Amino acid sequence: MTDAPKQFEELLRRLGEISDLEKATGLLAWDEETKMPPLGAGPRAEQRATLAGLAHELETAPALGELLEELRGFEAEHEPDSFEASIVRVARRDYEKAVRIPSSLRAEMTRNGSRGYRAWLEARREKNFAILLPYLERGLELTRQYVDCYAPEGDPYDVLLDEYEPGMRTAEVEAVFDRLKAELIPMIASVSEPVDDSCLHGRFPAEAQRAFALAVLERWGMDEESWRLDDTIHPFAQSIAPVDIRLTTNFHEDSLHGILSCMHEFGHGLYERQVDPAYSRTPLARGVSSGFHEAQSRMWENHVARLRHFYPQLRAALPSQFSDVPLDTFHRALNRVAPTMRRVDSDEVTYCLHIILRFELERDMLAGAVELTDLPEAFEAKMGEYLGLQPADVVEGVLQDVHWSDPSFGYFPTYALGNVISVQLWERAIADLGDLDEQFERGEFAPLREWLGEHVHRWGRALEPQELLERVTGSRLDPEPYLAYLRDKLGQSYAGARG
Amino acid sequence: MTDAPKQFEELLRRLGEISDLEKATGLLAWDEETKMPPLGAGPRAEQRATLAGLAHELETAPALGELLEELRGFEAEHEPDSFEASIVRVARRDYEKAVRIPSSLRAEMTRNGSRGYRAWLEARREKNFAILLPYLERGLELTRQYVDCYAPEGDPYDVLLDEYEPGMRTAEVEAVFDRLKAELIPMIASVSEPVDDSCLHGRFPAEAQRAFALAVLERWGMDEESWRLDDTIHPFAQSIAPVDIRLTTNFHEDSLHGILSCMHEFGHGLYERQVDPAYSRTPLARGVSSGFHEAQSRMWENHVARLRHFYPQLRAALPSQFSDVPLDTFHRALNRVAPTMRRVDSDEVTYCLHIILRFELERDMLAGAVELTDLPEAFEAKMGEYLGLQPADVVEGVLQDVHWSDPSFGYFPTYALGNVISVQLWERAIADLGDLDEQFERGEFAPLREWLGEHVHRWGRALEPQELLERVTGSRLDPEPYLAYLRDKLGQSYAGARG
């Protein structure tokens, strides 16, 4: 970079400032959910709004647009996947998107979103969808205005999807989801009697869970030099810097979900941790899409954690619960398939149906094909049709997730894309690395971790999601490996019960 | 404020943004010293530099200067100590100071300070002053550039002092310090045999210390709605908002210093907590000076904590240590006077000499009267002269405090000013409230807390420090009450030993 033009240095300086503001905002958010005393909430909202506003000013500065124009020649002189060309290309994409949205619209969306969040909490307390309704109506209106800013020629939902899954088209998602639905609904119906998972119910002291989870994560590659684990209400992972990764979880003493959520969040954290260090303080220094991010967390939660290798340690950590439980019983329980009312509690097979019904309803809302007043019934109808379940009330139904309080349409589908991508990546990893289960039994996690770093993580946002997937697996988004994996898993898991 | 001009509304909006950035920077700092994984240090320095730079841009925006000019008439229409006039006056003072410092210099000072802090930690680990030296050299260079920005006519050190103690002159401090030195050196020399404090040595489990400290602070007025207590290396207090107060401490298992430091930091926290809520998100919403801040922490640490009232609870918390120790023995030990190597461990009598030697060295460094390479020896020489002590190594000597890693010259003297002010305030409080010791025995801390809120804290920065002191005590800075208090204390404490 010694012969880089002055403009490129200036671009990096500006991008560094934007990144620093985003990371500082990230710390405000992390702290709010993990450490902040409750009364801090009011001032914190002001602090976050101020930093977001300043970041938006920097992101849309005309001088930034001019720099990016001046650097077109410089970009063309470099290989498309080089640091230099990728920075300019991705920064331009971000800039061109950011300038389309007036500050006033963005501020109004933020304001309505934070009011909507409070309304959602109250609507849940009162079990009354009508409390959320006006904010959802206004949110939908603002979402349509947002879409109009891009004047899309194709499906308006494409605009929303692009925010989370750059370059992905609604039609592609729909095709994948239709294929999943066609297979998953009968697959679930075939599970007449779920396996016994009573061994997963009991009293699990939070401190024992934490110690066990940390021991597992350390074996996987977490270290105290650049990671932390803290308590929160709704688990998440946050990168304050590629060398400062914060995982959060919530240990409930009546279940092991907190441990599984640590493993899930580890996948997110590892992605951010293994981005090429040269990308630090640039827009390349994060995961390429929500779907790819979720693929990482799903891989560690489902493919790595649901194997058998850690059971001896778990048994040692919680002897009174597990000393009499054979490995096979535990393993079958951990991989149990049974429709659940809550998306976040659901197993690998039913999970995608929770997502598909939300995706379909988002598209209907955007198209005006469903009246918002009818949304609770529409939600319940699909729960019945896809999962055979009847929500007891709106809290189990349409108010289940926080997402529509905002309403961040376009996000939900990426959860299912993550599942699909995770199996595509997993199969390639096995093809390259051999029997991972055996390696894990020996405590060897570095091969998988390094494989992910080399093939996926280091790229950050330098490649587009589908381009990255194709480079790694030779294929674009493809639901077949995921379906084959589920069929196989369902067969294995139920072999004992059936036999 | 309904008839306030548009310009005043706009001023508040701008000051709110500046305040939000400062508070966000405060959180970055708090996190760095309490939670951040070590590798996060590099990116954190960049993040802090960026936020400081952006804050400086807002603080020096020409539009802010124009607003402040336009508001001169509005200011004159209001009483000088009203919200409106105080805001405009203090904001203008801050603006006029800020515009003198180029953003690049401020950013460089922040960056060097953050790196210097890491170097200081390493220098202490390695017992090697040379590791800190380049950062101190650079810091001194930057400090001189900073002073030059103000083109001071008098003592250049005035510029540095003004940052922490607005309106205070170096010559005034020197006069007070010379008076203290003249009394304290012989006073200490008269203590031929320190009282027995062996009851303060032992094994004190950190968790028992924490529980006890929290119980005391809760009696004093800390609550979980708006306060936290965390571990750190070098204790401090930070206000993320007036309703979000963070105390930090360091419990060593071989002493009770961590408990005393909690009590000290509580005083700082309470000051920020009790500023008039109407001042939130304005430059009035913090303590008026470092000296006044230190007066609060010293009052709770020395005047409140070193009384007898909490001994029954301490005995219950650490029974194996204290069950056989009579209250008088404990009380005399806690108030022991004996020169100590570490400033932060020192008693009330010797404390000021630790400060005075640092103040003198800072002035020498600024004037070029001491070579930085000779600083370790110069430090040791003064330790010998003032306290009769010989540091075993640089960790006990020149590397003892974090302050010169930054290097925040001008800060040290305010510790001693705090001691002086704390006795001035304490005497007035007793005159107004009667026998506080008796109230404390009954668990009544609200009268003192509320008295401080009413007379000192609520004013924030609306009054100048000396003006505030004069309103409360009827006198400006005066070392005599402090000296009288020490003479009295030394007499009492040693009465038993002498008798």
Side-chain angles (χ1 to χ4, degrees):
Chain A
M1 292 202 308
T2 45
D3 60 346
K6 276 274 175 296
Q7 290 98 323
F8 188 63
E9 298 297 330
E10 172 61 8
L11 177 67
L12 291 180
R13 192 193 64 75
R14 285 178 173 269
L15 297 175
E17 282 191 347
I18 293 169
S19 167
D20 288 337
L21 263 183
E22 284 170 351
K23 295 300 189 182
T25 307
L27 184 69
L28 290 171
W30 172 85
D31 179 78
E32 182 168 352
E33 308 273 334
T34 56
K35 307 294 174 194
M36 187 185 74
L39 285 181
R44 183 58 50 89
E46 303 276 6
Q47 291 157 4
R48 290 179 64 172
T50 290
L51 265 68
L54 290 171
H56 188 63
E57 270 176 43
L58 298 182
E59 283 160 9
T60 57
L64 176 60
E66 286 158 25
L67 271 179
L68 289 164
E69 281 310 307
E70 288 165 17
L71 284 163
R72 282 195 187 271
F74 173 75
E75 179 190 356
E77 286 162 17
H78 290 83
E79 289 298 317
D81 63 6
S82 67
F83 173 75
E84 290 84 355
S86 299
I87 289 278
V88 178
R89 185 180 61 249
V90 172
R92 185 181 297 115
R93 183 181 195 280
D94 289 350
Y95 175 78
E96 287 173 355
K97 284 198 73 170
V99 291
R100 285 191 180 254
I101 311 298
S103 294
S104 55
L105 175 58
R106 209 173 276 268
E108 179 60 15
M109 290 174 82
T110 305
R111 197 171 304 119
N112 186 66
S114 79
R115 288 177 188 154
Y117 175 69
R118 286 193 295 271
W120 173 73
L121 291 175
E122 195 195 336
R124 282 171 64 91
R125 274 194 305 274
E126 304 289 327
K127 301 187 192 229
N128 182 357
F129 176 67
I131 295 169
L132 178 64
L133 187 58
Y135 300 92
L136 181 56
E137 274 167 355
R138 179 71 183 137
L140 181 58
E141 235 173 77
L142 294 168
T143 299
R144 287 188 180 126
Q145 287 176 28
Y146 175 88
V147 169
D148 288 344
C149 293
Y150 293 95
E153 289 178 10
D155 192 322
Y157 194 85
D158 284 352
V159 172
L160 303 171
L161 197 56
D162 192 75
E163 194 66 19
Y164 304 101
E165 204 61 34
M168 181 68 74
R169 298 283 165 164
T170 309
E172 291 177 84
V173 174
E174 194 178 20
V176 169
F177 282 6
D178 284 348
R179 175 78 186 103
L180 291 178
K181 239 176 19 176
E183 282 260 342
L184 293 178
I185 293 177
M187 201 185 285
I188 291 162
S190 78
V191 180
S192 51
E193 203 179 328
V195 298
D196 174 18
D197 69 347
S198 57
C199 70
L200 299 181
H201 300 280
R203 295 300 297 171
F204 311 107
E207 279 316 305
Q209 289 195 58
R210 177 189 315 281
F212 169 73
L214 281 171
V216 168
L217 297 186
E218 273 158 31
R219 280 160 58 99
W220 288 4
M222 177 177 180
D223 63 65
E224 292 190 349
E225 289 298 300
S226 51
W227 300 70
R228 299 183 46 93
L229 173 65
D230 292 271
D231 291 318
T232 191
I233 294 176
H234 302 290
F236 63 96
Q238 186 101 37
S239 156
I240 308 300
V243 287
D244 181 353
I245 304 295
R246 316 279 173 112
L247 310 183
T248 68
T249 192
N250 187 348
F251 293 111
H252 299 279
E253 300 222 321
D254 61 353
S255 87
L256 300 174
H257 284 132
I259 291 173
L260 285 166
S261 93
C262 287
M263 295 166 167
H264 177 98
E265 301 305 336
F266 172 81
H268 286 304
L270 187 66
Y271 194 177
E272 299 284 326
R273 180 71 187 85
Q274 296 202 123
V275 169
D276 187 338
Y279 296 174
S280 294
R281 299 184 76 234
T282 79
L284 303 185
R286 58 173 187 269
V288 69
S289 74
S290 301
F292 252 95
H293 238 303
E294 192 68 9
Q296 311 311 307
S297 55
R298 284 286 164 180
M299 182 178 294
W300 290 90
E301 177 191 1
N302 289 334
H303 302 279
V304 183
R306 292 194 203 263
L307 295 174
R308 295 150 183 259
H309 55 85
F310 71 56
Y311 190 57
Q313 289 96 314
L314 181 67
R315 200 179 230 172
L318 296 163
S320 65
Q321 179 79 11
F322 292 113
S323 58
D324 294 337
V325 178
L327 171 57
D328 276 350
T329 306
F330 170 76
H331 187 243
R332 275 203 305 276
L334 193 64
N335 288 277
R336 179 177 196 255
V337 173
T340 52
M341 205 62 83
R342 278 159 37 99
R343 173 181 67 82
V344 295
D345 297 339
S346 64
D347 61 74
E348 293 175 89
V349 181
T350 56
Y351 189 85
C352 283
L353 292 170
H354 283 276
I355 296 306
I356 292 169
L357 79 85
R358 286 159 173 79
F359 166 72
E360 292 173 347
L361 289 174
E362 286 190 355
R363 294 189 70 201
D364 286 349
M365 284 190 265
L366 191 67
V370 60
E371 287 294 321
L372 293 189
T373 47
D374 299 335
L375 194 65
E377 292 72 32
F379 193 98
E380 285 181 25
K382 281 189 191 278
M383 283 289 279
E385 189 186 341
Y386 297 168
L387 292 159
L389 296 173
Q390 174 65 36
D393 53 34
V394 284
V395 175
E396 284 191 354
V398 69
L399 295 178
Q400 197 180 108
D401 297 289
V402 69
H403 303 58
W404 289 344
S405 72
D406 196 349
S408 28
F409 286 3
Y411 193 96
F412 271 130
T414 68
Y415 289 121
L417 300 183
N419 280 350
V420 169
I421 294 168
S422 78
V423 182
Q424 289 184 266
L425 294 178
W426 181 251
E427 296 212 330
R428 171 55 55 183
I430 287 174
D432 285 0
L433 299 172
D435 188 337
L436 286 172
D437 207 355
E438 264 182 22
Q439 293 177 26
F440 297 162
E441 298 268 0
R442 293 195 300 270
E444 294 166 13
F445 297 93
L448 175 62
R449 193 174 67 237
E450 287 163 11
W451 184 91
L452 286 168
E454 174 63 21
H455 294 274
V456 180
H457 298 171
R458 73 181 173 97
W459 289 104
R461 292 173 75 211
L463 304 177
E464 293 275 295
Q466 290 297 302
E467 184 190 355
L468 176 60
L469 190 58
E470 215 164 342
R471 279 208 198 190
V472 184
T473 68
S475 154
R476 291 172 65 88
L477 187 70
D478 177 6
E480 298 311 327
Y482 177 60
L483 286 170
Y485 160 80
L486 290 184
R487 276 190 299 263
D488 183 50
K489 184 151 208 170
L490 215 55
Q492 261 185 40
S493 165
Y494 284 81
R498 283 169 186 169
Chain B
M1 293 200 309
T2 45
D3 60 347
K6 277 273 175 298
Q7 290 98 324
F8 189 62
E9 298 297 331
E10 172 62 8
L11 178 67
L12 291 180
R13 192 193 64 75
R14 285 177 173 271
L15 297 176
E17 282 191 346
I18 293 168
S19 167
D20 288 337
L21 264 182
E22 284 171 349
K23 295 300 188 182
T25 306
L27 185 70
L28 290 171
W30 172 83
D31 179 79
E32 181 169 352
E33 309 227 356
T34 56
K35 307 295 174 194
M36 187 186 74
L39 285 181
R44 183 56 51 88
E46 302 280 2
Q47 291 157 4
R48 289 178 64 174
T50 290
L51 264 69
L54 289 171
H56 189 62
E57 270 176 44
L58 298 182
E59 285 159 9
T60 57
L64 176 60
E66 287 158 23
L67 271 179
L68 289 164
E69 281 310 306
E70 289 166 18
L71 284 163
R72 281 195 186 272
F74 174 77
E75 180 190 354
E77 287 162 17
H78 290 83
E79 289 297 317
D81 63 6
S82 67
F83 174 75
E84 290 83 355
S86 299
I87 288 277
V88 178
R89 184 180 61 250
V90 172
R92 184 181 299 113
R93 182 183 196 279
D94 290 349
Y95 174 79
E96 287 172 356
K97 282 198 73 170
V99 290
R100 288 185 178 260
I101 311 297
S103 294
S104 55
L105 174 57
R106 211 174 273 269
E108 179 60 16
M109 290 172 82
T110 306
R111 197 171 299 118
N112 186 65
S114 206
R115 289 177 186 152
Y117 175 68
R118 294 288 141 182
W120 173 72
L121 291 176
E122 196 197 335
R124 282 170 63 91
R125 273 194 304 273
E126 304 289 326
K127 302 187 190 227
N128 183 356
F129 176 67
I131 295 169
L132 178 64
L133 186 58
Y135 299 93
L136 180 56
E137 274 169 354
R138 180 70 183 137
L140 180 59
E141 233 172 79
L142 294 168
T143 299
R144 288 191 180 124
Q145 287 175 29
Y146 175 89
V147 169
D148 287 345
C149 293
Y150 292 95
E153 288 177 12
D155 193 322
Y157 194 85
D158 283 352
V159 171
L160 303 171
L161 195 56
D162 192 76
E163 193 65 18
Y164 304 102
E165 204 61 35
M168 182 68 74
R169 298 285 165 163
T170 309
E172 291 178 84
V173 174
E174 197 178 15
V176 169
F177 282 5
D178 284 347
R179 173 80 185 102
L180 291 178
K181 243 180 8 180
E183 282 260 341
L184 293 178
I185 294 178
M187 200 185 286
I188 292 163
S190 78
V191 180
S192 52
E193 202 178 329
V195 298
D196 174 16
D197 69 347
S198 56
C199 70
L200 300 182
H201 299 280
R203 295 300 296 172
F204 311 107
E207 279 317 305
Q209 289 194 59
R210 178 188 313 281
F212 170 73
L214 282 172
V216 169
L217 297 187
E218 273 158 31
R219 280 160 58 100
W220 288 5
M222 177 178 181
D223 64 65
E224 291 190 349
E225 289 298 299
S226 51
W227 300 69
R228 296 184 49 91
L229 173 65
D230 292 272
D231 291 318
T232 191
I233 294 175
H234 192 86
F236 63 97
Q238 186 101 37
S239 156
I240 308 301
V243 286
D244 181 353
I245 303 294
R246 316 278 173 112
L247 309 183
T248 68
T249 192
N250 188 349
F251 293 111
H252 298 279
E253 300 223 321
D254 60 353
S255 86
L256 299 175
H257 285 131
I259 291 173
L260 285 167
S261 93
C262 288
M263 295 166 165
H264 177 98
E265 301 306 335
F266 171 81
H268 286 304
L270 187 67
Y271 194 177
E272 298 285 324
R273 182 73 188 85
Q274 295 203 124
V275 169
D276 187 337
Y279 295 174
S280 294
R281 298 184 78 233
T282 80
L284 303 185
R286 59 174 187 269
V288 69
S289 75
S290 301
F292 252 95
H293 238 303
E294 193 67 10
Q296 311 312 306
S297 55
R298 282 287 162 183
M299 182 178 293
W300 289 91
E301 177 192 0
N302 289 334
H303 301 280
V304 183
R306 290 193 204 265
L307 295 175
R308 296 151 183 258
H309 56 85
F310 71 56
Y311 190 56
Q313 290 96 316
L314 181 67
R315 201 178 229 173
L318 296 164
S320 65
Q321 179 78 12
F322 292 113
S323 58
D324 295 335
V325 178
L327 170 57
D328 275 349
T329 307
F330 171 76
H331 186 243
R332 274 204 306 277
L334 192 63
N335 288 277
R336 178 179 195 253
V337 173
T340 53
M341 205 63 82
R342 278 158 37 99
R343 172 181 67 84
V344 296
D345 299 340
S346 64
D347 61 74
E348 294 175 88
V349 181
T350 55
Y351 189 85
C352 284
L353 292 171
H354 284 276
I355 295 307
I356 291 169
L357 80 85
R358 286 158 174 80
F359 167 72
E360 292 172 349
L361 288 175
E362 286 190 354
R363 294 187 71 200
D364 286 349
M365 283 191 265
L366 191 67
V370 61
E371 287 294 321
L372 293 189
T373 46
D374 299 335
L375 193 64
E377 292 72 33
F379 193 100
E380 286 181 23
K382 281 191 192 278
M383 284 288 279
E385 189 185 343
Y386 297 168
L387 292 158
L389 296 172
Q390 174 64 37
D393 54 34
V394 282
V395 175
E396 284 191 354
V398 70
L399 295 177
Q400 198 181 107
D401 297 290
V402 69
H403 304 59
W404 290 342
S405 71
D406 194 348
S408 25
F409 286 4
Y411 193 101
F412 271 129
T414 68
Y415 288 120
L417 300 183
N419 280 350
V420 169
I421 295 169
S422 77
V423 181
Q424 291 184 265
L425 294 178
W426 181 251
E427 296 208 334
R428 170 56 54 183
I430 287 174
D432 285 359
L433 299 172
D435 188 337
L436 286 173
D437 207 355
E438 265 182 23
Q439 293 177 26
F440 297 161
E441 298 268 0
R442 294 195 300 271
E444 293 167 13
F445 297 93
L448 175 62
R449 195 174 66 236
E450 287 163 10
W451 184 91
L452 287 168
E454 173 63 22
H455 294 274
V456 180
H457 300 172
R458 72 180 174 96
W459 289 104
R461 292 174 74 211
L463 304 176
E464 293 275 296
Q466 290 297 304
E467 184 190 356
L468 176 61
L469 189 58
E470 216 163 344
R471 278 208 198 190
V472 184
T473 69
S475 155
R476 291 172 64 88
L477 187 70
D478 178 5
E480 299 311 327
Y482 176 61
L483 287 169
Y485 161 80
L486 291 184
R487 276 190 298 265
D488 183 50
K489 184 150 207 171
L490 215 55
Q492 260 185 40
S493 166
Y494 283 80
R498 283 170 188 169

